[in-house]
């Protein structure tokens, strides 16, 4: 039982390049989340999904797209990376929402955009 | 809109002390409150989840309490150890929203 895994762990991009971050969970959770964590800003929600085939915007969605084609995977895409997207990205999952939303986090992806 | 505050932002204590970390929230209509630990360069690890109907939860040397009426939760760490050094975050899920709101955390250093 691997829990929540994230690929890659580190990445360096040049401005304008694109990339996709992969999050996978093996707990059969319905809800999945993408956060970014920056010094002094705390955790900020980018996008989330309440089930396979669904996505919704969080607090800071601009510049990111997501897809949830399979229940166990949640992909975060950067179409044209900007230096402001330098951050640590965390994926999380929970069984459901509301009272049943105990979250489990992945180890993070450290992204640097030059 | 729910707001979650954690005070102090940083704390440094000698080994062996009993600690209390605070988490306050503005909307008392919550589903639950979750405490996490984050080590430097790592992801968040869930410590305790307190449902709205509960007053406290315990795990080993950790005890978390919840007082909805005052909008507060405390995380009590007994007999602190250097290995407890980490950032502790709380997250509150409010009624009507299925998405938790995070505090910015308390950075704890326990020195030998």
């Amino acid at each position: 039982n691997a829990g929540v895994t994230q690929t890659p762990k580190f990445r360096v991009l040049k401005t304008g390049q694109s990339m996709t971050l992969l999050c996978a969970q093996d707990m059969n959770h319905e809800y999945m989340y993408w956060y970014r964590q920056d010094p002094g800003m705390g955790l900020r929600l980018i996008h989330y999904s309440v089930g396979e085939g669904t996505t919704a915007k969080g607090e800071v969605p601009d510049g990111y797209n997501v897809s949830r084609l399979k229940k166990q995977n949640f992909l975060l895409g950067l179409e044209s990376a900007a230096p402001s997207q330098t951050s640590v990205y965390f994926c999380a999952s929970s069984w459901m929402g509301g009272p049943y939303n105990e979250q489990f986090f992945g180890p993070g992806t450290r992204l640097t955009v030059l | 809109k729910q707001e979650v505050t954690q005070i102090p932002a940083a704390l440094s204590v000698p080994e062996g002390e009993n600690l209390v970390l605070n988490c306050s929230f503005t909307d008392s209509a919550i589903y639950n409150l979750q405490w996490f630990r984050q080590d430097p360069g790592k992801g968040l690890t869930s410590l305790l989840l307190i449902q709205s109907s509960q007053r406290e939860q315990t795990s080993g040397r950790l005890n978390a309490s919840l007082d909805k009426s005052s909008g507060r939760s405390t995380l009590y760490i007994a007999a602190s150890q250097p290995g407890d050094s980490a950032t502790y975050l709380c997250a509150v899920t409010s009624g009507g929203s299925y998405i938790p709101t995070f505090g910015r955390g308390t950075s704890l250093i326990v020195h030998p």
Side-chain angles (χ1 to χ4, degrees):
Chain A
N1 189 337
V4 180
T5 58
Q6 292 183 233
T7 308
K9 289 183 170 53
F10 303 93
R11 186 73 185 268
V12 178
L13 290 178
K14 294 181 180 178
T15 297
Q17 288 185 318
S18 64
M19 78 164 295
T20 300
L21 283 67
L22 170 64
C23 176
Q25 52 93 6
D26 61 0
M27 297 174 282
N28 201 34
H29 284 173
E30 291 293 335
Y31 280 50
M32 297 186 74
Y33 316 77
W34 275 108
Y35 294 90
R36 60 179 289 175
Q37 187 176 43
D38 304 287
M41 301 295 292
L43 271 170
R44 292 183 291 172
L45 182 66
I46 305 171
H47 286 279
Y48 64 100
S49 167
V50 301
E52 181 178 315
T54 74
T55 62
K57 294 180 180 180
E59 181 184 356
V60 287
D62 293 343
Y64 305 94
N65 56 75
V66 288
S67 64
R68 183 101 181 266
L69 299 180
K70 293 183 179 181
K71 186 177 182 178
Q72 64 267 35
N73 295 337
F74 195 28
L75 279 64
L76 178 70
L78 286 72
E79 291 186 345
S80 179
S84 61
Q85 294 178 304
T86 293
S87 186
V88 181
Y89 292 85
F90 289 103
C91 176
S93 70
S94 63
W95 178 43
M96 294 288 284
Y100 312 106
N101 72 338
E102 182 177 11
Q103 288 188 312
F104 297 87
F105 278 76
T109 294
R110 187 172 296 274
L111 175 66
T112 301
V113 183
L114 302 175
Chain B
K1 177 185 174 184
Q2 181 72 269
E3 293 181 5
V4 180
T5 304
Q6 293 186 248
I7 295 173
L11 187 61
S12 180
V13 299
E15 181 177 7
E17 277 203 5
N18 299 324
L19 307 173
V20 174
L21 306 181
N22 297 299
C23 173
S24 61
F25 46 93
T26 55
D27 182 355
S28 61
I30 68 171
Y31 282 126
N32 57 44
L33 185 146
Q34 190 170 1
W35 281 95
F36 295 89
R37 168 186 173 135
Q38 185 176 27
D39 294 292
K42 304 291 186 183
L44 280 69
T45 300
S46 178
L47 295 174
L48 292 163
L49 175 75
I50 310 177
Q51 296 291 356
S52 174
S53 58
Q54 298 175 318
R55 294 298 300 270
E56 64 178 332
Q57 283 279 8
T58 298
S59 176
R61 294 182 295 108
L62 305 179
N63 176 279
S65 66
L66 176 64
D67 184 343
K68 288 189 302 179
S69 62
S70 66
R72 290 185 58 190
S73 176
T74 59
L75 179 67
Y76 176 82
I77 304 176
S80 58
Q81 304 170 357
D84 295 328
S85 299
T87 296
Y88 291 82
L89 297 97
C90 68
V92 178
T93 301
S94 307
S97 169
Y98 290 113
I99 307 301
T101 301
F102 280 82
R104 296 199 175 181
T106 294
S107 176
L108 172 66
I109 296 176
V110 181
H111 50 86

